[in-house]
Amino acid sequence: MCFIPRLRRLLAAGTAACALLAAPAVAAAQTIQVVTEATPWTYLEGGRVAGPATEIVTTALQRAGLTDTSINLYPWARAYDLALKEPHTLIFLIARTPAREAQFKWVGEFMKIDYHFYRLKTQADVVVGRLDDARRYTVGVTRDDLRHQYLQQRGFSKLVVSAHNMDNFRKLIAGQVQLMPMPEDDALALCREARFDCAGLEKVHTLADMSTGIHAAYSLATPDAVVDRTRQAFDKLRADGTVRRLMTLRR
């Protein structure tokens, strides 16, 4: 009886098994590039990216065994472009929309948000009873953000595009734009940062069909092993209440 074919089969099987076991470790050895923008939940503090959402992502990555990471704060358009094109890239906080569904590997949801049009209370002549009414006014949006894409797709022609939310907010309070779509938490945080009394803002219309969840997501070129491990860690943080606790802002 010849044992050579059997030996070859055993060696081949052993090699394949080792490869499977090693795949997560190999994937984990690659530096994970984490990108986000300035928000009430993500900001620079002492020269490092901090904030509640950053803490959630950092904890999830550590629990997933992915400790070789680099977290950077960029203008949204830059962060979004990196996550579309670069492997081993994790982006947060990103709205999960049908148009984006197949563009990323989704990890987990931080919270649901609603968007509203805000105006200066002194601009009582800016009246928005329905979405079409807003077309008459200049609207400040952040480049390639969900709000920019949403209004652009609906034919808004008076969009004033900026790199940062704060740029839009300064234009709003200076009267350079008449409307700005944002969640309530963003409005409160921007008022604090700009030292503007939020009593001077007025919510005039809710963009009901824009309500969505904000997530963490990997670029498509990121290995599934990395995505799965991060998703499992994130799910545990949601299950034990950590995500909800940290994402509840102190106003």
Side-chain angles (χ1 to χ4, degrees):
M1 177 180 262
C2 181
F3 291 96
I4 292 177
R6 183 181 178 188
L7 180 60
R8 286 175 178 168
R9 287 197 299 270
L10 289 172
L11 288 172
T15 302
C18 288
L20 287 172
L21 290 171
V26 171
Q30 175 70 42
T31 300
I32 303 298
Q33 176 180 219
V34 185
V35 296
T36 187
E37 65 170 339
T39 73
W41 305 279
T42 51
Y43 44 79
L44 284 178
E45 187 174 81
R48 302 182 66 181
V49 183
T54 308
E55 184 176 341
I56 292 166
V57 167
T58 301
T59 303
L61 290 171
Q62 288 174 345
R63 292 189 180 182
L66 303 166
T67 55
D68 186 3
T69 62
S70 172
I71 304 179
N72 291 288
L73 205 68
Y74 294 114
W76 178 254
R78 172 66 172 153
Y80 187 69
D81 188 60
L82 285 169
L84 281 174
K85 297 177 180 177
E86 298 292 330
H88 296 90
T89 301
L90 177 68
I91 186 171
F92 75 107
L93 303 154
I94 181 171
R96 188 171 184 171
T97 66
R100 292 174 174 172
E101 186 65 31
Q103 294 179 321
F104 299 96
K105 294 179 178 180
W106 300 91
V107 169
E109 181 179 278
F110 293 86
M111 65 188 295
K112 298 225 180 263
I113 53 174
D114 297 311
Y115 292 94
H116 317 278
F117 273 129
Y118 284 85
R119 72 175 187 194
L120 290 180
K121 193 169 284 187
T122 54
Q123 292 192 334
D125 58 329
V126 177
V127 180
V128 184
R130 56 198 181 97
L131 182 63
D132 281 348
D133 295 337
R135 298 177 194 277
R136 302 195 296 264
Y137 308 111
T138 52
V139 182
V141 293
T142 302
R143 187 177 306 280
D144 290 339
D145 177 81
L146 173 65
R147 289 155 284 189
H148 181 197
Q149 295 171 347
Y150 175 89
L151 295 174
Q152 194 173 49
Q153 288 166 3
R154 282 154 184 78
F156 274 64
S157 60
K158 295 185 177 182
L159 299 179
V160 178
V161 182
S162 299
H164 301 278
N165 273 335
M166 180 51 74
D167 295 338
N168 291 319
F169 190 71
R170 290 195 177 102
K171 289 174 184 175
L172 180 70
I173 61 180
Q176 296 171 351
V177 298
Q178 295 162 294
L179 293 169
M180 183 175 170
M182 51 186 165
E184 185 176 350
D185 285 328
D186 276 18
L188 293 169
L190 289 167
C191 283
R192 285 195 295 266
E193 187 176 344
R195 298 183 180 180
F196 178 79
D197 184 358
C198 255
L201 289 184
E202 188 168 7
K203 187 190 300 180
V204 293
H205 181 72
T206 297
L207 298 157
D209 62 341
M210 235 182 96
S211 296
T212 186
I214 49 176
H215 289 246
Y218 276 108
S219 56
L220 288 180
T222 304
D224 288 340
V226 170
V227 178
D228 291 342
R229 290 162 66 184
T230 309
R231 185 183 294 125
Q232 290 168 15
F234 195 101
D235 286 347
K236 289 178 181 177
L237 292 176
R238 281 180 58 85
D240 68 17
T242 299
V243 173
R244 178 181 294 183
R245 174 176 57 81
L246 288 174
M247 293 302 289
T248 302
L249 292 176
R250 294 178 179 89
R251 298 181 180 179

Coordinates of all heavy atoms in Angstrom, one line a residue, residues 28-99:
A28 N -5.2 41.4 11.0 CA -5.0 42.3 12.2 C -3.7 43.0 12.2 O -3.6 44.1 12.8 CB -5.2 41.5 13.5
A29 N -2.7 42.5 11.5 CA -1.4 43.1 11.5 C -1.3 44.4 10.7 O -0.4 45.2 10.9 CB -0.4 42.1 11.0
Q30 N -2.3 44.6 9.8 CA -2.4 45.8 9.0 C -2.9 46.9 9.9 O -3.9 46.8 10.6 CB -3.3 45.5 7.8 CG -3.5 46.8 7.0 CD -2.3 47.1 6.2 OE1 -1.6 46.3 5.6 NE2 -2.0 48.4 6.1
T31 N -2.3 48.1 9.7 CA -2.8 49.3 10.4 C -4.2 49.6 10.0 O -4.4 49.7 8.8 CB -1.8 50.5 10.2 OG1 -0.5 50.2 10.7 CG2 -2.3 51.7 10.9
I32 N -5.1 49.9 10.9 CA -6.4 50.3 10.6 C -6.4 51.8 10.6 O -6.1 52.5 11.6 CB -7.4 49.8 11.6 CG1 -7.4 48.2 11.7 CG2 -8.8 50.2 11.3 CD1 -7.7 47.5 10.4
Q33 N -6.8 52.4 9.5 CA -6.9 53.9 9.4 C -8.3 54.2 9.7 O -9.3 53.9 9.1 CB -6.6 54.3 7.9 CG -6.8 55.8 7.7 CD -6.5 56.2 6.3 OE1 -5.9 57.2 6.1 NE2 -6.8 55.4 5.3
V34 N -8.5 55.0 10.8 CA -9.8 55.4 11.3 C -10.0 56.9 11.0 O -9.2 57.7 11.3 CB -10.0 55.1 12.8 CG1 -11.4 55.4 13.3 CG2 -9.6 53.7 13.1
V35 N -11.1 57.2 10.3 CA -11.3 58.6 9.9 C -12.7 59.1 10.3 O -13.7 58.3 10.4 CB -11.2 58.8 8.4 CG1 -9.7 58.5 8.0 CG2 -12.1 57.9 7.6
T36 N -12.8 60.4 10.7 CA -14.1 61.0 11.0 C -14.0 62.5 10.8 O -12.9 63.0 10.3 CB -14.4 60.6 12.5 OG1 -15.7 61.1 12.8 CG2 -13.4 61.3 13.5
E37 N -15.0 63.2 11.1 CA -15.0 64.7 11.0 C -15.4 65.2 12.4 O -15.7 64.5 13.4 CB -16.1 65.1 10.0 CG -17.5 64.8 10.5 CD -18.6 65.5 9.6 OE1 -18.3 66.5 9.0 OE2 -19.7 65.0 9.6
A38 N -15.3 66.6 12.6 CA -15.6 67.2 13.8 C -17.1 67.2 14.0 O -17.8 67.7 13.2 CB -15.0 68.6 13.8
T39 N -17.5 66.7 15.1 CA -19.0 66.7 15.5 C -19.0 66.8 17.0 O -18.0 66.8 17.7 CB -19.6 65.3 15.1 OG1 -19.2 64.3 16.0 CG2 -19.3 64.9 13.7
P40 N -20.2 66.9 17.6 CA -20.3 66.9 19.0 C -19.8 65.7 19.7 O -19.5 65.7 20.9 CB -21.9 67.1 19.3 CG -22.4 67.7 18.1 CD -21.6 67.2 16.9
W41 N -19.7 64.6 18.9 CA -19.2 63.3 19.5 C -17.8 63.0 19.1 O -17.3 62.0 19.5 CB -20.2 62.2 19.0 CG -21.6 62.4 19.3 CD1 -22.2 62.2 20.5 CD2 -22.6 62.9 18.5 NE1 -23.5 62.6 20.5 CE2 -23.8 63.0 19.2 CE3 -22.6 63.3 17.1 CZ2 -25.0 63.5 18.6 CZ3 -23.8 63.8 16.6 CH2 -24.9 63.9 17.3
T42 N -17.2 63.8 18.2 CA -15.8 63.6 17.8 C -15.1 64.9 17.6 O -15.6 65.8 16.9 CB -15.8 62.9 16.4 OG1 -16.7 63.6 15.5 CG2 -16.3 61.4 16.5
Y43 N -14.0 65.1 18.3 CA -13.4 66.4 18.3 C -11.9 66.3 18.8 O -11.5 65.2 19.4 CB -14.1 67.4 19.2 CG -14.5 66.8 20.5 CD1 -13.6 66.7 21.6 CD2 -15.8 66.4 20.7 CE1 -14.0 66.2 22.8 CE2 -16.3 65.9 21.9 CZ -15.3 65.8 23.0 OH -15.7 65.2 24.2
L44 N -11.1 67.3 18.5 CA -9.7 67.3 19.0 C -9.7 67.8 20.4 O -10.3 68.8 20.8 CB -8.9 68.2 18.1 CG -8.5 67.7 16.7 CD1 -7.7 68.7 15.9 CD2 -7.7 66.4 16.8
E45 N -8.9 67.1 21.2 CA -8.7 67.5 22.6 C -7.2 67.1 23.0 O -6.9 66.0 22.9 CB -9.7 66.7 23.5 CG -9.7 67.1 24.9 CD -10.8 66.4 25.7 OE1 -10.6 65.3 26.1 OE2 -11.8 67.1 25.9
G46 N -6.5 68.2 23.3 CA -5.1 67.9 23.6 C -4.3 67.4 22.4 O -3.4 66.6 22.6
G47 N -4.7 67.7 21.2 CA -4.0 67.2 20.0 C -4.4 65.8 19.6 O -3.8 65.3 18.6
R48 N -5.4 65.2 20.2 CA -5.8 63.9 19.8 C -7.3 63.9 19.6 O -8.0 64.7 20.1 CB -5.5 62.9 21.0 CG -4.0 62.8 21.3 CD -3.8 61.8 22.4 NE -4.0 60.4 21.9 CZ -3.9 59.3 22.7 NH1 -3.5 59.4 23.9 NH2 -4.1 58.1 22.1
V49 N -7.7 62.9 18.7 CA -9.2 62.8 18.5 C -9.8 62.2 19.7 O -9.5 61.1 20.1 CB -9.4 62.0 17.2 CG1 -10.9 61.9 16.9 CG2 -8.6 62.5 16.0
A50 N -10.8 62.9 20.2 CA -11.5 62.4 21.4 C -13.0 62.5 21.2 O -13.5 62.6 20.0 CB -11.1 63.3 22.6
G51 N -13.8 62.3 22.2 CA -15.2 62.4 22.2 C -15.9 61.0 22.4 O -15.2 60.0 22.3
P52 N -17.2 61.0 22.7 CA -17.9 59.8 23.0 C -17.8 58.7 21.9 O -17.6 57.6 22.2 CB -19.3 60.3 23.3 CG -19.2 61.7 23.6 CD -18.0 62.2 22.9
A53 N -18.1 59.2 20.7 CA -18.1 58.2 19.6 C -16.7 57.6 19.4 O -16.5 56.5 19.0 CB -18.6 58.8 18.3
T54 N -15.7 58.5 19.5 CA -14.3 58.0 19.4 C -14.0 57.0 20.5 O -13.3 56.0 20.2 CB -13.3 59.2 19.5 OG1 -13.7 60.2 18.6 CG2 -11.9 58.8 19.2
E55 N -14.5 57.2 21.7 CA -14.2 56.2 22.8 C -14.9 54.9 22.4 O -14.3 53.8 22.7 CB -14.8 56.8 24.1 CG -14.5 55.9 25.3 CD -15.0 56.4 26.6 OE1 -15.2 57.7 26.6 OE2 -15.2 55.7 27.5
I56 N -16.1 54.9 21.9 CA -16.7 53.7 21.5 C -15.9 52.9 20.4 O -15.7 51.7 20.5 CB -18.1 54.0 20.9 CG1 -19.0 54.5 22.1 CG2 -18.8 52.7 20.3 CD1 -20.3 55.1 21.6
V57 N -15.5 53.6 19.4 CA -14.7 53.0 18.3 C -13.4 52.4 18.8 O -13.0 51.3 18.5 CB -14.5 54.0 17.2 CG1 -13.4 53.5 16.2 CG2 -15.8 54.3 16.4
T58 N -12.7 53.2 19.6 CA -11.4 52.8 20.2 C -11.6 51.5 21.0 O -10.8 50.6 20.9 CB -10.8 53.9 21.0 OG1 -10.6 55.0 20.2 CG2 -9.5 53.5 21.6
T59 N -12.6 51.5 21.9 CA -12.9 50.3 22.7 C -13.2 49.1 21.9 O -12.8 48.0 22.1 CB -14.0 50.6 23.7 OG1 -13.7 51.8 24.5 CG2 -14.3 49.5 24.6
A60 N -14.1 49.3 20.9 CA -14.5 48.2 20.0 C -13.2 47.6 19.3 O -13.1 46.4 19.2 CB -15.5 48.6 19.0
L61 N -12.4 48.4 18.8 CA -11.2 48.0 18.1 C -10.2 47.2 19.0 O -9.7 46.2 18.7 CB -10.5 49.1 17.4 CG -11.2 49.8 16.2 CD1 -10.5 51.1 15.8 CD2 -11.2 48.8 15.1
Q62 N -10.1 47.7 20.2 CA -9.2 47.1 21.2 C -9.8 45.7 21.6 O -9.0 44.7 21.7 CB -9.1 48.0 22.5 CG -8.3 49.2 22.3 CD -8.3 50.1 23.5 OE1 -9.1 50.0 24.4 NE2 -7.3 51.0 23.5
R63 N -11.1 45.6 21.8 CA -11.7 44.4 22.2 C -11.7 43.4 21.0 O -11.7 42.2 21.2 CB -13.1 44.6 22.6 CG -13.2 45.3 24.0 CD -14.6 45.3 24.5 NE -14.7 46.0 25.8 CZ -15.8 46.2 26.5 NH1 -17.0 45.6 26.0 NH2 -15.8 46.8 27.6
A64 N -11.6 43.9 19.8 CA -11.5 43.0 18.6 C -10.0 42.6 18.4 O -9.7 41.8 17.4 CB -12.0 43.8 17.4
G65 N -9.1 43.1 19.2 CA -7.7 42.7 19.0 C -7.0 43.5 18.0 O -5.9 43.2 17.5
L66 N -7.6 44.7 17.6 CA -7.0 45.5 16.5 C -6.4 46.7 17.1 O -7.0 47.8 17.2 CB -8.1 45.9 15.5 CG -8.8 44.7 14.8 CD1 -10.1 45.1 14.1 CD2 -7.9 44.0 13.9
T67 N -5.2 46.6 17.6 CA -4.6 47.7 18.4 C -3.7 48.6 17.5 O -3.3 49.6 18.0 CB -3.7 47.0 19.5 OG1 -2.8 46.1 19.0 CG2 -4.6 46.3 20.5
D68 N -3.3 48.2 16.3 CA -2.5 49.0 15.5 C -3.4 49.9 14.6 O -3.9 49.6 13.5 CB -1.7 48.1 14.5 CG -0.7 49.0 13.7 OD1 -0.6 50.2 13.9 OD2 0.0 48.4 12.9
T69 N -3.8 51.1 15.2 CA -4.8 52.0 14.6 C -4.2 53.4 14.5 O -3.4 53.8 15.3 CB -6.1 52.0 15.4 OG1 -5.9 52.5 16.7 CG2 -6.7 50.6 15.4
S70 N -4.8 54.2 13.6 CA -4.5 55.6 13.5 C -5.8 56.3 13.3 O -6.5 56.1 12.3 CB -3.5 55.8 12.3 OG -3.4 57.2 12.0
I71 N -6.1 57.2 14.2 CA -7.4 57.9 14.1 C -7.1 59.4 13.8 O -6.3 60.1 14.4 CB -8.1 57.9 15.5 CG1 -8.3 56.4 15.9 CG2 -9.5 58.6 15.4 CD1 -9.0 56.3 17.2
N72 N -7.8 59.9 12.7 CA -7.6 61.2 12.2 C -8.9 61.9 12.0 O -9.9 61.3 11.6 CB -6.8 61.2 10.9 CG -5.4 60.8 11.2 OD1 -4.6 61.5 11.7 ND2 -5.0 59.6 10.7
L73 N -8.9 63.2 12.2 CA -10.1 64.1 12.0 C -9.8 64.9 10.7 O -8.8 65.5 10.5 CB -10.2 65.1 13.2 CG -11.6 65.7 13.5 CD1 -12.5 64.6 14.0 CD2 -11.4 66.8 14.5
Y74 N -10.8 64.7 9.8 CA -10.7 65.4 8.4 C -12.0 66.1 8.1 O -13.0 65.9 8.7 CB -10.5 64.3 7.3 CG -9.2 63.6 7.4 CD1 -9.1 62.2 7.7 CD2 -7.9 64.2 7.2 CE1 -8.0 61.5 7.7 CE2 -6.8 63.5 7.2 CZ -6.8 62.1 7.4 OH -5.6 61.4 7.5
P75 N -11.9 67.0 7.1 CA -13.2 67.5 6.5 C -13.9 66.3 6.0 O -13.3 65.3 5.6 CB -12.7 68.4 5.4 CG -11.3 68.9 5.8 CD -10.7 67.7 6.5
W76 N -15.2 66.4 6.1 CA -16.0 65.2 5.7 C -15.7 64.6 4.4 O -15.6 63.4 4.2 CB -17.5 65.5 5.8 CG -18.3 64.3 5.4 CD1 -19.0 64.1 4.3 CD2 -18.5 63.0 6.2 NE1 -19.6 62.8 4.3 CE2 -19.3 62.2 5.4 CE3 -18.0 62.6 7.4 CZ2 -19.6 60.9 5.8 CZ3 -18.3 61.3 7.8 CH2 -19.1 60.5 7.0
A77 N -15.6 65.5 3.3 CA -15.3 65.0 2.0 C -14.1 64.2 1.9 O -14.0 63.2 1.2 CB -15.3 66.2 1.0
R78 N -13.0 64.6 2.7 CA -11.8 63.9 2.7 C -11.9 62.5 3.3 O -11.4 61.5 2.8 CB -10.7 64.7 3.4 CG -9.4 64.0 3.6 CD -8.6 63.7 2.4 NE -7.3 63.2 2.7 CZ -6.6 62.4 1.9 NH1 -7.1 62.0 0.7 NH2 -5.4 62.0 2.2
A79 N -12.6 62.5 4.5 CA -12.8 61.2 5.2 C -13.6 60.3 4.4 O -13.3 59.1 4.3 CB -13.5 61.5 6.6
Y80 N -14.6 60.8 3.7 CA -15.5 59.9 2.9 C -14.8 59.4 1.7 O -14.9 58.2 1.4 CB -16.7 60.8 2.5 CG -17.8 60.1 1.7 CD1 -18.6 59.2 2.4 CD2 -18.0 60.3 0.4 CE1 -19.6 58.5 1.7 CE2 -19.0 59.7 -0.3 CZ -19.8 58.8 0.4 OH -20.8 58.1 -0.3
D81 N -13.9 60.2 1.1 CA -13.2 59.7 -0.1 C -12.2 58.6 0.3 O -12.0 57.6 -0.4 CB -12.4 60.9 -0.7 CG -11.7 60.6 -2.0 OD1 -12.4 60.1 -2.9 OD2 -10.5 60.7 -2.1
L82 N -11.5 58.8 1.5 CA -10.6 57.8 2.0 C -11.3 56.4 2.2 O -10.8 55.4 1.9 CB -9.9 58.2 3.2 CG -8.8 59.3 3.1 CD1 -8.4 59.9 4.5 CD2 -7.6 58.8 2.4
A83 N -12.5 56.5 2.8 CA -13.2 55.3 3.1 C -13.7 54.6 1.9 O -13.9 53.4 1.9 CB -14.3 55.6 4.1
L84 N -14.0 55.4 0.8 CA -14.4 54.8 -0.4 C -13.3 54.1 -1.1 O -13.5 53.0 -1.8 CB -15.0 55.8 -1.3 CG -16.4 56.3 -1.1 CD1 -16.7 57.5 -2.0 CD2 -17.4 55.2 -1.3
K85 N -12.0 54.6 -1.0 CA -10.9 54.1 -1.8 C -9.8 53.3 -1.1 O -9.2 52.5 -1.8 CB -10.3 55.3 -2.5 CG -11.2 56.1 -3.4 CD -10.5 57.3 -4.0 CE -11.4 58.1 -4.9 NZ -10.8 59.4 -5.4
E86 N -9.6 53.5 0.1 CA -8.5 52.9 0.8 C -8.8 51.7 1.6 O -9.8 51.6 2.3 CB -7.8 53.9 1.8 CG -7.3 55.2 1.1 CD -6.1 54.9 0.2 OE1 -5.4 53.9 0.5 OE2 -5.9 55.6 -0.8
P87 N -8.0 50.6 1.5 CA -8.3 49.4 2.3 C -8.0 49.6 3.8 O -7.3 50.6 4.1 CB -7.3 48.4 1.7 CG -6.2 49.2 1.1 CD -6.9 50.4 0.6
H88 N -8.5 48.8 4.6 CA -8.3 48.9 6.1 C -8.6 50.3 6.6 O -7.9 50.8 7.4 CB -6.8 48.5 6.4 CG -6.5 47.1 6.1 ND1 -5.9 46.8 4.9 CD2 -6.5 46.0 6.8 CE1 -5.7 45.5 4.9 NE2 -6.1 45.0 6.0
T89 N -9.7 50.8 6.1 CA -10.2 52.2 6.6 C -11.5 52.1 7.2 O -12.5 51.5 6.6 CB -10.2 53.2 5.4 OG1 -8.9 53.3 4.8 CG2 -10.7 54.5 5.8
L90 N -11.7 52.6 8.4 CA -12.9 52.6 9.1 C -13.4 54.1 9.2 O -12.6 54.9 9.7 CB -12.7 52.0 10.5 CG -14.0 52.0 11.5 CD1 -15.0 51.1 10.9 CD2 -13.6 51.6 12.9
I91 N -14.6 54.3 8.8 CA -15.2 55.7 8.9 C -16.3 55.7 9.9 O -17.1 54.8 10.0 CB -15.6 56.2 7.5 CG1 -16.1 57.7 7.6 CG2 -16.7 55.3 6.9 CD1 -16.3 58.3 6.3
F92 N -16.4 56.8 10.7 CA -17.6 57.0 11.5 C -17.6 58.5 11.7 O -16.6 59.2 11.6 CB -17.3 56.3 12.9 CG -16.3 56.9 13.8 CD1 -16.7 57.6 14.9 CD2 -14.9 56.9 13.5 CE1 -15.8 58.2 15.8 CE2 -14.0 57.4 14.3 CZ -14.4 58.1 15.5
L93 N -18.7 59.1 12.0 CA -20.1 58.7 12.0 C -20.7 58.9 10.7 O -20.7 60.1 10.2 CB -20.8 59.6 13.1 CG -20.2 59.6 14.5 CD1 -20.5 60.8 15.2 CD2 -20.7 58.4 15.2
I94 N -21.1 57.9 10.0 CA -21.6 58.0 8.6 C -23.1 57.5 8.6 O -23.4 56.4 9.2 CB -20.7 57.1 7.7 CG1 -21.3 57.2 6.2 CG2 -20.6 55.7 8.1 CD1 -20.3 56.6 5.2
A95 N -23.9 58.3 7.9 CA -25.3 57.9 7.8 C -25.4 56.7 6.8 O -24.8 56.7 5.8 CB -26.1 59.1 7.3
R96 N -26.2 55.7 7.2 CA -26.4 54.6 6.4 C -27.7 54.8 5.5 O -28.8 54.8 6.0 CB -26.6 53.3 7.2 CG -26.7 52.0 6.4 CD -26.6 50.8 7.4 NE -26.6 49.6 6.7 CZ -26.3 48.4 7.3 NH1 -26.2 48.3 8.6 NH2 -26.3 47.3 6.5
T97 N -27.5 55.0 4.2 CA -28.5 55.2 3.2 C -28.5 54.1 2.2 O -27.5 53.4 2.0 CB -28.3 56.6 2.6 OG1 -27.1 56.5 1.8 CG2 -28.2 57.7 3.6
P98 N -29.7 54.0 1.5 CA -29.7 53.0 0.4 C -28.6 53.2 -0.7 O -28.0 52.3 -1.2 CB -31.1 53.2 -0.2 CG -31.9 53.8 0.9 CD -31.0 54.6 1.7
A99 N -28.3 54.5 -1.0 CA -27.2 54.7 -2.0 C -25.9 54.3 -1.5 O -25.0 54.0 -2.3 CB -27.2 56.2 -2.3

